[in-house]
Amino acid sequence: MQMKKWLAALALTLPALGAQAQETLKIGGIGPLSGGGTAWGLAVQRGVQMAIDEVNAQGGLKIGGQTYKPELVMYDDKYSATGGRSAAERLVNLDKVKFIIGPIGTPSVMAVVPIVNEARVIMLSNGYAPDILKQGGQNGYNFRTMNSNVEFGPAMVKWLKENRPQARKVALIVPNDATGQVVMPTLGKAYQDAGYTVWSESYERGSKEFAPLLTRMLAQGVDVLDLNLNAPGEAGLLTKQARQVGFKGIIWQVGGPGIDEVADIAGPYAEGFMSYDVFDFNEPAARRFVDAYKQRWSGVINAQTPGWYNSARILFKAMETAGTTTDTDKVRAALENLGGFDAGIYGPVVWGGAKAYGVNHQLLNRFWVTEIRDGKPHALATLSPARE
C-alpha cells in the first residue's frame, strides 16, 4: 500500500518537475518601432525572435546543466538617445535582464552603453560612432555585431572609384544629430582620400520635404548623392525627391541598409539606386531564412534581420560555452573567444577592432553592393572589411 501511495505521489510530481525543468531566460531588445527607423527596429525584433523560436523548437538552451526557454522583452527607443536610455534602464532595473540585443543607430547606442557597462550587462548592438566600442575599452560589455562605416566605407568608396570612374564630386546629406556627426570625419575622409570633392548639408531628423535642400545640391554640380547612414524612411524620400527635382547622377547609400524599403517608398524613382547591403537574398542559405521568416510575417524583410538573428545565435552559443546565464564576465570571455563558430548566415565568427577602437569587440562580416534593377535588388559585388 505504501508503495502504491508513493507511485501515485510520484506520478503527480513528475509533470510539475517537467514544467520546472525549463526556466525562462529574458533577452532584452531595443530598437525603433516607430518613425523613420521602424524597418530597422522590426529587423531587431524579428531577427532575434526567429533565433529564439528556433532554439525553443529544439527544446531550449542547455546551459550549465539547466534548460532555458529564451523570451524576448522588446522596447521602442524611437531612434533617439532619450528612448534608448529609457529602454535600457527599464530592461536593466525592472526586467533584470543580463543580455540585450540592439539598439541600432548611434544616438540610442551611445546613450545605452554607459548603462550596460555599469550594470555588467552584455549588449550586442549596431551604431557607427567609434566611441561606441571605445567606451569601457577592454572592460566594456558592448559588442558591435555588424560592420560600421569604418569597416565598410573605404572598401565601398574604392569600389565606386573603380567601377564608376566618371564620378568626381559627392554630396553627403546627413541628419543633424549624433549620426550625422559621425559621417563627415569618417566617410567624408574616405572620399577625400580617394580623390573626391565632398559637399555636405544637414537636415532635421524626421523631415519629409527635401526639395529645397536637393535643389541647392543640384547647383553644386555633384555626380553622386550618398545617403550614408539615413534611416530607410528618409533615404527613400531623399531618393524619390532627388529624381523629381532633376538629379541624374548616381544615388547610393554607404551605410544604413534598407534597400527594399527605399525601393518601396521611391517606387520607379529607385531604379539604379545602389546600397551597402548586409545580406544577399539570392544565396541558398538566404532562401531558407526568407522562407522561415515568411512563415510568420508578411511584407518586406529588412536586410538587417538576418544580422540580428546571427547576433542572437552568437550570444546563445557564448552562454552555452560559458555554462552560465548570470556570470556575464564568463559570457563576455566566451564571446571574445568564439572565433570560428558559424551561426549559419555569414560564415565563421571573426572579431576585430583593436586597432580602431582598442578592443576586439567588432564583428567583421562580408557585405554586398546591391542595385535596384527592374524594381528588384541585385547583388553587384561581395566585399570584406580589412582584417587587422
Side-chain angles (χ1 to χ4, degrees), residues 88-127:
E89 288 174 344
R90 184 171 181 179
L91 286 169
V92 170
N93 298 323
L94 296 181
D95 297 306
K96 305 298 183 183
V97 304
K98 293 292 186 181
F99 308 98
I100 294 174
I101 300 179
I104 179 172
T106 292
S108 182
V109 182
M110 288 290 287
V112 173
V113 168
I115 296 170
V116 298
N117 280 343
E118 181 178 356
R120 298 162 77 124
V121 167
I122 299 288
M123 182 168 77
L124 279 61
S125 67
N126 182 30

Side-chain angles (χ1 to χ4, degrees), residues 277-307:
D277 213 349
V278 293
F279 201 54
D280 180 3
F281 285 97
N282 295 312
E283 292 189 345
R287 296 311 312 166
R288 291 192 293 272
F289 183 88
V290 171
D291 289 344
Y293 178 94
K294 289 185 174 179
Q295 287 179 12
R296 178 156 186 171
W297 297 286
S298 60
V300 172
I301 174 174
N302 184 271
Q304 295 219 29
T305 308

Side-chain angles (χ1 to χ4, degrees), residues 138 160 246 255 269 342 361 387:
Q138 296 289 340
L160 183 71
Y269 294 105
D342 189 342
H361 283 190
R387 274 19 180 197

Side-chain angles (χ1 to χ4, degrees), residues 101-182:
I101 300 179
I104 179 172
T106 292
S108 182
V109 182
M110 288 290 287
V112 173
V113 168
I115 296 170
V116 298
N117 280 343
E118 181 178 356
R120 298 162 77 124
V121 167
I122 299 288
M123 182 168 77
L124 279 61
S125 67
N126 182 30
Y128 291 170
D131 282 350
I132 285 172
L133 289 182
K134 289 181 179 179
Q135 290 189 60
Q138 296 289 340
N139 297 317
Y141 290 81
N142 177 45
F143 293 73
R144 184 157 52 201
T145 50
M146 297 186 198
N147 301 313
S148 78
N149 58 349
V150 171
E151 284 71 52
F152 63 73
M156 288 197 69
V157 170
K158 181 175 182 287
W159 182 91
L160 183 71
K161 193 171 182 65
E162 292 173 350
N163 292 274
R164 303 292 188 273
Q166 74 280 8
R168 294 286 184 272
K169 188 171 184 178
V170 178
L172 292 174
I173 293 180
V174 303
N176 61 351
D177 59 13
T179 298
Q181 293 166 13
V182 169

Side-chain angles (χ1 to χ4, degrees), residues 15 38 48 106 144 235 254 312 334:
T38 300
V48 175
T106 292
R144 184 157 52 201
V254 180

Side-chain angles (χ1 to χ4, degrees), residues 325-345:
T325 62
T326 56
D327 190 336
T328 52
D329 288 321
K330 286 185 178 179
V331 177
R332 179 178 60 180
L335 271 170
E336 292 170 339
N337 292 286
L338 208 58
F341 169 68
D342 189 342
I345 294 290

Side-chain angles (χ1 to χ4, degrees), residues 29-325:
I30 302 175
L33 299 176
S34 58
T38 300
W40 289 345
L42 290 176
V44 176
Q45 185 180 51
R46 294 176 179 182
V48 175
Q49 190 63 57
M50 286 180 71
I52 287 175
D53 290 347
E54 185 178 278
V55 298
N56 286 337
Q58 296 168 356
L61 288 173
K62 310 297 191 295
I63 303 172
Q66 176 68 50
T67 301
Y68 293 88
K69 181 181 180 181
E71 176 185 281
L72 178 62
V73 183
M74 181 85 188
Y75 294 120
D76 181 7
D77 66 4
K78 300 178 174 61
Y79 203 54
S80 68
T82 301
R85 187 178 304 109
S86 176
E89 288 174 344
R90 184 171 181 179
L91 286 169
V92 170
N93 298 323
L94 296 181
D95 297 306
K96 305 298 183 183
V97 304
K98 293 292 186 181
F99 308 98
I100 294 174
I101 300 179
I104 179 172
T106 292
S108 182
V109 182
M110 288 290 287
V112 173
V113 168
I115 296 170
V116 298
N117 280 343
E118 181 178 356
R120 298 162 77 124
V121 167
I122 299 288
M123 182 168 77
L124 279 61
S125 67
N126 182 30
Y128 291 170
D131 282 350
I132 285 172
L133 289 182
K134 289 181 179 179
Q135 290 189 60
Q138 296 289 340
N139 297 317
Y141 290 81
N142 177 45
F143 293 73
R144 184 157 52 201
T145 50
M146 297 186 198
N147 301 313
S148 78
N149 58 349
V150 171
E151 284 71 52
F152 63 73
M156 288 197 69
V157 170
K158 181 175 182 287
W159 182 91
L160 183 71
K161 193 171 182 65
E162 292 173 350
N163 292 274
R164 303 292 188 273
Q166 74 280 8
R168 294 286 184 272
K169 188 171 184 178
V170 178
L172 292 174
I173 293 180
V174 303
N176 61 351
D177 59 13
T179 298
Q181 293 166 13
V182 169
V183 172
M184 289 311 299
T186 51
L187 186 54
K189 186 175 186 302
Y191 276 115
Q192 290 166 349
D193 288 348
Y196 290 93
T197 301
V198 177
W199 175 87
S200 68
E201 192 162 327
S202 62
Y203 68 89
E204 190 71 29
R205 173 73 71 184
S207 297
K208 305 293 184 185
E209 178 53 59
F210 298 101
L213 187 160
L214 292 164
T215 300
R216 291 194 296 274
M217 179 195 75
L218 279 178
Q220 300 297 317
V222 302
D223 306 302
V224 180
L225 167 57
D226 184 343
L227 301 179
N228 50 84
L229 314 186
N230 290 290
E234 291 160 6
L237 289 173
L238 280 161
T239 299
K240 181 178 182 178
Q241 293 175 30
R243 294 305 188 204
Q244 287 176 329
V245 301
F247 181 63
K248 305 295 185 184
I250 297 166
I251 303 179
W252 84 329
Q253 186 160 23
V254 180
I259 194 166
D260 290 287
E261 291 84 357
V262 171
D264 190 50
I265 293 167
Y269 294 105
E271 191 69 16
F273 171 77
M274 298 184 296
S275 178
Y276 161 73
D277 213 349
V278 293
F279 201 54
D280 180 3
F281 285 97
N282 295 312
E283 292 189 345
R287 296 311 312 166
R288 291 192 293 272
F289 183 88
V290 171
D291 289 344
Y293 178 94
K294 289 185 174 179
Q295 287 179 12
R296 178 156 186 171
W297 297 286
S298 60
V300 172
I301 174 174
N302 184 271
Q304 295 219 29
T305 308
W308 294 111
Y309 165 87
N310 190 62
S311 300
R313 291 262 299 164
I314 289 171
L315 175 62
F316 295 160
K317 179 64 174 179
M319 285 191 280
E320 289 176 334
T321 301
T324 178
T325 62

